[in-house]
Amino acid sequence: MRSFADIPIAKKLISIMLATTITALLLASLMQATTEGMAYRQDIVENLSTMADIIGTNSVAAITFEDRALAKRVLQSLEAEPSIIVAQIFDTNGQSLAFYSSASVSLTEGELEEQRALLREWVSGGEPVRSFNGLQSIDILQPIHFDREIIGYVHVQATLQPLVQTLVRFAWMAGITVALAVLVAWFLSFRLQALVSRPILGLADLMRRVTDDEDYSLRAQKAGDDEVGSLIDGFNNMLQQISERDQRLTEGRQKLDEQARSLTQANEKLKLAIAELIAAKDTAEKANTAKSEFLARMSHEIRTPMNGVLGMTELILVSELDPKQRHFAETIRDSADSLLDIINDILDFSKIEAGKLELERAEFDLRDVVESVVELLSIRAQSKGLEMLCDIAPRMDTLVRGDQTRLRQILTNLIGNAIKFTEHGEVVIRVREAVAEGDATKFRFEVIDTGIGIKPASQELIFELFSQEDGSTTRRYGGTGLGLAICKQLAELMGGTIGVDSVPNKGTTFWFTVNFAQDTRAWHETTLSDLEDPGSLRVLIVDDNSTNREILLHQLGAWGIHADSAADGPGALTQLTTSARSGTPYDLAILDWHMPNMDGLELANRIQSDTQLASTKMIMLTSAAADDGGQRMADAGVLAYLNKPARPARLRQCIAQVLNIHKQGEPKRERRQHATLPMTRPVNAHILLVEDNVVNREVATSMLNAMQCKVDEVANGQEAVEIVRRQQFDLILMDCEMPIMDGYAATQAIREWEADIPEHERLPIVALTAHALPEDRRRCLTIGMDAFLSKPFSMNALHEILVRWLPMGTTVEQPRSRDADDPPGPHAQAATAIDSTAAISTKTLEIISTLDPSRGKELATQVINVYETSSVDLIQTLADALSDSDEHGVSSAAHALKSSSGNVGAERLVSMCREIELAARDNVLDGLTERLAAVQMEHRIVLDELRKWSRS
């Protein structure tokens, strides 16, 4: 059933009008009926009251004389009134004197008794009574008065049937009237509703047509100015606006179509242009690739004859030459070095420009890298009479992860420039921690010189390609103009920047910043040597260079050593004498050899000759090679010397050695606990050592024998796989890089064999490798190895591995190296001199000697002999692989030489081999020829020092 809101508007209007008409008529009829009924009732009451008064007046005598017959006759007169049902006359006591009842009405005895009781109640009230019994009857009780006294009562009961009949007739008439009115109203509303509904229906029909046909030109016809007319006007205006909007949209669509066609044409042109650009890009990339290949090929082709030139020049220089011939040979060498520098710059530039330069992420000690570069270039600075100083914040955490090769390249370029453009004064290299950002730290490097400076106008140009401060053909200093541009790009690749501050004729400061990830090891574990009770030491630094004094004071203060300084020899003597007389003599004096007026050697002689100062030990710092001055320094009482700039680690070790030289007669202090730490040993352990390097095998076997382990040795992975299938072992120490079959393939083969034999227990395999990167560790564990041991490893590290994987039994005393408190042997002074060269670490050889107490130094000498034989072969293998451009061969030979050299303490040679290995891994063989020459020279120095140590 539809609701009223859903029916058509015409029916709504008719319904509203009919409802209004009917409601009005019904209300009017109801009001009329009510009014008429009340009026009729009032008339009946008045008529009955009048009739009762008349009866009461006529019945006064009857009541007075109690004449019942008379009273009855009076009531008989009511027969003329058919509406009277019952009439009675009472005295004041309520006794009925007469009773009249209509013949048409018969009352039962019960009804009569009920009526009498009601009448007695009314009479007892003494008041007139008018009582209606619904629409059936009306009762009137009227007092009868005589001489203003009530002498009785008249009761009249009349029927209301006439009233009911009148109301019924009125209802019929009202109903007929309402019906006629409804018909008339329906007719009129049916005709009149069209005046309202027709415009609305017409508007609705027009809306449907507009919606269906989308014809917005249609308009509704207005019939008047009423609300419907306003609605029609609004609708027509809306249609007009929609029509105008459609017109604008049509025009806009036409414009869009035109623009789309234009864009299509432009897109076609763009596609053609892009295709041309892609073709040009491909051509450019091919040209760039061809250029890079050409540069690499030309670099190789140039380096091959240059290798011969440099090699033969070195051979000529070590032969007997007269001064003129030596000058010619040195000129050839210097020219060849300059040419190689130019080739390196061009090759690096081509790599950076092609976006093919990838940075390495390896762990290294930033302090070692900076100091090694400074040490390498210090010879060039000293040859010009310059002071070379290295200032690295003592407490700065320098164990980082990054590309040390590129850092060396930047430092070498900037320091080399500083030396080249400085005629007198000093070159200072300063390193500070700039800011820490999460796991990474930004370091700031400064290279400060007192050279010619750079003009302000040129400072913005020097980092551009092929730009120089003096670009004329008559310039004094040579160069390609690529070095600083390459440094700038390398610094930016490492997340930093580069800049320059300079004052002409006063000096220049080149600075750059780089980001390195922090390593997890603590600083003191890798930079501090064993030096007990530094706070009790008093040291005097004597140097005419204020910067060097400041650096040394800062360094010694960071170690907790009390240090003072003097700018010349006389001032130093004054301070030394004053302190000695006051009872607080200096324990140590660090002297600079090259000072004006009184040099360090003269000062040392003066100190030695003064009995008050005899207790002060002396260390000499020299800017020149001391090969011809060693005896002179020894005669002057100098116990050790260091080439400037002195590395902090070497300086600290040298101080510890010098201060303990003459304590043989003193009581020994209690040794530190770790020097005699008891070590548990494996129970009947049978270990397989898989190592192709004979030196490494010798050292590792000696360590295992010292821990009472049974050791079998094989030289490659294939032999290891074969022997594992025949014999039972408790653990395998597996080198990763070996010929025939490497450690990775051998481990896989052993694990596959174990999988085929379920009852065979898993054999622990420990990787031995010089690569300490996390990815190398992950590769070892992924391939099936159980642990990782970095070479060269200490006896403690090896013992920790055995404890982890093998059952331990009784303890054996751990072999130890000479403690700082032990008195040195008769050759301690010579050992100090050897340490100052940094070619080998005698501490490493002493550790090897203690591995087998029964053999002592004989074991270390045997290792040295093995190293001498194998390293010569490795040097030749490295040279052959480099000559054949065999990257893998170069990497393998450098790796093996690095590992062997580490076992005899040749740390500098280890670092040089590591650089060659990393470069070969990156397939960068360019520039390795001169590095190989440096390795060969360093190798000869190492062998000489090892032979000296063996004979000492």
Side-chain angles (χ1 to χ4, degrees):
M1 181 178 180
R2 292 190 299 175
S3 64
F4 181 78
D6 297 332
I7 64 177
I9 188 170
K11 293 183 178 180
K12 287 181 181 179
L13 292 174
I14 293 174
S15 300
I16 291 172
M17 287 187 284
L18 288 178
T20 303
T21 301
I22 292 172
T23 302
L25 288 175
L26 289 176
L27 289 175
S29 299
L30 181 61
M31 291 296 295
Q32 182 67 27
T34 304
T35 302
E36 291 295 331
M38 293 178 64
Y40 193 78
R41 285 183 58 183
Q42 186 64 30
D43 290 341
I44 292 175
V45 170
E46 291 178 356
N47 289 335
L48 290 177
S49 297
T50 302
M51 189 178 295
D53 288 340
I54 293 173
I55 292 174
T57 300
N58 293 333
S59 61
V60 168
I63 295 172
T64 302
F65 299 103
E66 295 182 355
D67 188 353
R68 295 182 180 274
L70 181 57
K72 186 174 183 181
R73 284 195 300 275
V74 172
L75 293 178
Q76 289 297 328
S77 63
L78 295 176
E79 292 180 350
E81 290 294 332
S83 61
I84 301 301
I85 301 175
V86 175
Q88 297 184 67
I89 297 175
F90 299 94
D91 58 14
T92 57
N93 295 325
Q95 295 295 324
S96 178
L97 296 179
F99 177 81
Y100 169 78
S101 174
S102 174
S104 59
V105 178
S106 60
L107 298 175
T108 63
E109 188 61 29
E111 290 176 344
L112 291 175
E113 185 59 33
E114 183 180 354
Q115 192 177 53
R116 292 190 192 101
L118 182 62
L119 288 174
R120 283 194 294 271
E121 182 182 352
W122 288 347
V123 170
S124 64
E127 296 294 333
V129 176
R130 273 81 170 150
S131 175
F132 285 91
N133 185 17
L135 292 179
Q136 294 181 359
S137 62
I138 181 174
D139 290 290
I140 299 295
L141 181 66
Q142 189 73 23
I144 300 173
H145 296 85
F146 182 72
D147 290 337
R148 298 180 181 178
E149 292 182 3
I150 296 175
I151 61 173
Y153 295 92
V154 175
H155 168 245
V156 178
Q157 184 182 54
T159 179
L160 294 179
Q161 188 66 30
L163 175 60
V164 173
Q165 292 175 353
T166 300
L167 291 176
V168 170
R169 287 194 302 273
F170 184 83
W172 276 102
M173 293 180 64
I176 293 170
T177 303
V178 168
L180 292 175
V182 167
L183 290 174
V184 173
W186 177 84
F187 177 75
L188 292 177
S189 63
F190 181 78
R191 300 300 298 272
L192 295 176
Q193 60 83 23
L195 297 177
V196 177
S197 63
R198 186 178 294 112
I200 297 175
L201 293 174
L203 184 60
D205 180 66
L206 181 64
M207 291 173 62
R208 282 192 296 272
R209 290 167 57 193
V210 170
T211 302
D212 295 340
D213 301 338
E214 295 185 357
D215 185 1
Y216 299 104
S217 62
L218 300 175
R219 297 293 182 271
Q221 298 299 321
K222 182 178 177 182
D225 293 330
D226 56 359
E227 289 80 358
V228 177
S230 299
L231 179 63
I232 291 174
D233 288 340
F235 182 73
N236 289 336
N237 289 334
M238 183 182 69
L239 290 178
Q240 181 65 29
Q241 293 177 5
I242 293 175
S243 179
E244 293 175 356
R245 184 204 64 186
D246 284 352
Q247 181 66 27
R248 290 194 298 270
L249 288 175
T250 301
E251 294 175 356
R253 189 179 298 110
Q254 292 174 352
K255 291 181 180 179
L256 287 176
D257 291 340
E258 294 176 0
Q259 293 177 355
R261 286 192 293 271
S262 300
L263 287 175
T264 301
Q265 295 174 356
N267 191 35
E268 294 297 329
K269 293 180 180 179
L270 181 60
K271 288 181 179 179
L272 293 175
I274 290 175
E276 293 175 356
L277 288 175
I278 292 175
K281 172 178 172 292
D282 293 339
T283 302
E285 288 180 349
K286 292 178 181 178
N288 191 42
T289 302
K291 181 186 70 174
S292 299
E293 293 176 353
F294 171 76
L295 289 173
R297 188 180 305 111
M298 290 304 298
S299 162
H300 177 72
E301 294 299 330
I302 294 174
R303 287 171 187 276
T304 300
M306 286 299 298
N307 183 39
V309 172
L310 284 171
M312 296 306 296
T313 303
E314 293 293 339
L315 294 176
I316 292 174
L317 287 172
V318 297
S319 63
E320 295 293 334
L321 299 175
D322 60 38
K324 186 175 183 179
Q325 291 172 333
R326 181 169 297 278
H327 172 70
F328 290 159
E330 289 176 348
T331 302
I332 295 172
R333 181 190 60 189
D334 294 341
S335 300
D337 288 338
S338 299
L339 180 58
L340 282 178
D341 290 339
I342 295 173
I343 294 171
N344 289 334
D345 286 345
I346 294 175
L347 187 60
D348 283 339
F349 167 68
S350 66
K351 287 181 180 178
I352 295 174
E353 188 181 50
K356 294 182 178 179
L357 186 66
E358 297 182 359
L359 296 179
E360 178 191 16
R361 288 183 57 83
E363 295 176 352
F364 69 94
D365 190 333
L366 185 145
R367 187 182 304 271
D368 285 345
V369 171
V370 176
E371 290 175 349
S372 64
V373 174
V374 172
E375 186 177 42
L376 183 65
L377 296 177
S378 63
I379 299 175
R380 191 192 308 177
Q382 293 162 10
S383 67
K384 296 183 66 174
L386 302 176
E387 286 277 359
M388 177 77 84
L389 307 173
C390 184
D391 180 14
I392 303 176
R395 291 293 178 182
M396 184 173 65
D397 191 355
T398 58
L399 293 178
V400 297
R401 179 187 297 275
D403 194 330
Q404 61 171 313
T405 302
R406 297 306 170 185
L407 176 61
R408 287 178 186 272
Q409 184 174 352
I410 298 176
L411 288 172
T412 301
N413 193 297
L414 296 182
I415 298 173
N417 284 345
I419 295 172
K420 180 168 66 173
F421 294 105
T422 303
E423 296 300 330
H424 57 82
E426 64 186 22
V427 176
V428 181
I429 294 84
R430 180 173 291 125
V431 184
R432 294 291 185 269
E433 182 178 319
V435 62
E437 301 174 351
D439 295 334
T441 301
K442 185 181 290 294
F443 292 91
R444 180 182 174 92
F445 299 79
E446 295 179 356
V447 179
I448 308 166
D449 65 56
T450 56
I452 62 175
I454 303 174
K455 298 176 182 178
S458 301
Q459 293 179 16
E460 298 180 358
L461 304 176
I462 57 176
F463 293 107
E464 297 181 3
L465 296 173
F466 307 109
S467 295
Q468 292 181 322
E469 200 273 338
D470 180 8
S472 66
T473 57
T474 60
R475 65 183 185 269
R476 179 180 178 184
Y477 303 99
T480 62
L482 282 174
L484 291 177
I486 293 173
C487 289
K488 178 177 184 294
Q489 291 173 324
L490 290 176
E492 292 174 350
L493 282 174
M494 290 190 284
T497 56
I498 192 170
V500 62
D501 302 312
S502 181
V503 177
N505 300 320
K506 289 188 176 181
T508 302
T509 298
F510 276 95
W511 60 266
F512 67 96
T513 60
V514 292
N515 282 336
F516 288 129
Q518 288 291 155
D519 200 0
T520 56
R521 293 176 291 173
W523 169 80
H524 60 48
E525 292 178 350
T526 58
T527 60
L528 298 183
S529 59
D530 297 330
L531 181 62
E532 289 189 357
D533 196 16
S536 64
L537 301 179
R538 299 188 73 244
V539 178
L540 179 64
I541 300 168
V542 187
D543 197 320
D544 63 311
N545 186 285
S546 60
T547 305
N548 199 33
R549 292 199 306 273
E550 180 183 353
I551 293 173
L552 290 174
L553 286 171
H554 200 269
Q555 186 67 67
L556 294 177
W559 295 337
I561 297 175
H562 175 76
D564 298 318
S565 65
D568 52 31
L573 286 173
T574 301
Q575 287 183 248
L576 288 167
T577 304
T578 302
S579 297
R581 289 175 179 174
S582 64
T584 56
Y586 285 98
D587 299 287
L588 177 68
I590 300 177
L591 314 177
D592 181 26
W593 187 335
H594 301 281
M595 294 186 293
N597 299 325
M598 181 186 294
D599 62 18
L601 194 60
E602 181 180 352
L603 176 60
N605 282 310
R606 297 279 293 273
I607 294 173
Q608 185 185 33
S609 62
D610 191 335
T611 57
Q612 297 183 52
L613 309 180
S615 62
T616 301
K617 312 299 186 303
M618 291 180 286
I619 295 176
M620 185 71 74
L621 299 181
T622 175
S623 299
D627 293 341
D628 59 345
Q631 187 60 45
R632 294 165 60 194
M633 285 189 288
D635 294 340
V638 176
L639 300 179
Y641 68 87
L642 291 171
N643 284 333
K644 296 170 63 177
R647 292 193 180 190
R650 294 183 192 168
L651 176 61
R652 181 158 182 149
Q653 184 182 19
C654 188
I655 291 173
Q657 291 175 338
V658 166
L659 292 178
N660 283 289
I661 282 180
H662 295 293
K663 292 186 180 180
Q664 292 181 353
E666 299 178 8
K668 295 183 180 179
R669 288 174 289 180
E670 184 179 354
R671 293 191 179 110
R672 287 181 289 274
Q673 181 179 0
H674 68 267
T676 57
L677 182 68
M679 178 184 292
T680 57
R681 66 175 180 83
V683 178
N684 299 324
H686 189 188
I687 296 175
L688 175 62
L689 175 62
V690 187
E691 171 66 71
D692 64 313
N693 189 291
V694 291
V695 177
N696 293 347
R697 284 205 307 270
E698 187 71 25
V699 173
T701 300
S702 299
M703 289 183 178
L704 293 171
N705 288 336
M707 289 184 280
Q708 301 179 14
C709 297
K710 180 182 178 182
V711 184
D712 282 1
E713 302 175 7
V714 293
N716 58 64
Q718 182 174 335
E719 295 178 2
V721 174
E722 294 174 354
I723 196 173
V724 164
R725 293 177 178 177
R726 299 194 308 268
Q727 296 186 36
Q728 185 73 26
F729 295 96
D730 299 308
L731 182 139
I732 299 177
L733 297 177
M734 180 76 74
D735 184 27
C736 291
E737 297 188 8
M738 296 178 291
I740 303 177
M741 178 184 286
D742 61 22
Y744 303 114
T747 300
Q748 282 184 315
I750 292 173
R751 295 305 182 211
E752 292 173 358
W753 173 72
E754 289 177 336
D756 295 337
I757 307 176
E759 65 274 9
H760 191 281
E761 294 183 0
R762 180 182 175 92
L763 181 59
I765 301 178
V766 178
L768 302 179
T769 177
H771 306 306
L773 298 180
E775 50 267 30
D776 296 315
R777 293 190 176 100
R778 286 194 295 270
R779 182 184 179 189
C780 292
L781 297 178
T782 302
I783 212 71
M785 296 180 179
D786 299 290
F788 186 96
L789 191 58
S790 297
K791 295 188 296 185
F793 49 83
S794 65
M795 193 164 184
N796 284 336
L798 179 59
H799 180 259
E800 289 176 3
I801 288 292
L802 299 184
V803 168
R804 179 179 175 185
W805 295 102
L806 298 177
M808 293 289 113
T810 58
T811 59
V812 58
E813 182 174 321
Q814 177 183 350
R816 61 182 181 90
S817 61
R818 176 174 295 153
D819 201 66
D821 299 326
D822 290 338
H827 301 283
Q829 208 162 347
T832 303
I834 291 174
D835 287 337
S836 69
T837 67
I840 63 171
S841 170
T842 58
K843 188 175 182 179
T844 302
L845 299 174
E846 291 171 0
I847 292 175
I848 295 175
S849 298
T850 59
L851 292 177
D852 189 350
S854 63
R855 299 176 64 189
K857 191 173 181 179
E858 178 186 349
L859 175 59
T861 303
Q862 179 181 344
V863 172
I864 291 173
N865 294 334
V866 174
Y867 172 77
E868 183 173 356
T869 303
S870 63
S871 61
V872 171
D873 295 337
L874 289 174
I875 289 286
Q876 185 60 46
T877 302
L878 179 60
D880 293 341
L882 185 59
S883 176
D884 296 336
S885 299
D886 180 4
E887 293 90 351
H888 179 71
V890 172
S891 175
S892 299
H895 176 82
L897 183 59
K898 176 188 69 176
S899 180
S900 297
S901 301
N903 283 318
V904 295
E907 299 298 336
R908 195 162 60 192
L909 183 56
V910 168
S911 178
M912 299 169 73
C913 292
R914 181 185 297 111
E915 293 180 4
I916 294 178
E917 179 186 5
L918 293 177
R921 282 189 168 196
D922 293 336
N923 298 325
V924 180
L925 298 184
D926 298 323
L928 295 189
T929 303
E930 57 271 26
R931 293 191 184 184
L932 175 60
V935 166
Q936 290 170 334
M937 183 175 296
E938 181 67 18
H939 179 251
R940 288 194 292 271
I941 295 173
V942 168
L943 293 182
D944 290 341
E945 298 299 338
L946 289 174
R947 295 186 189 107
K948 290 179 182 179
W949 187 88
S950 298
R951 294 193 298 268
S952 65

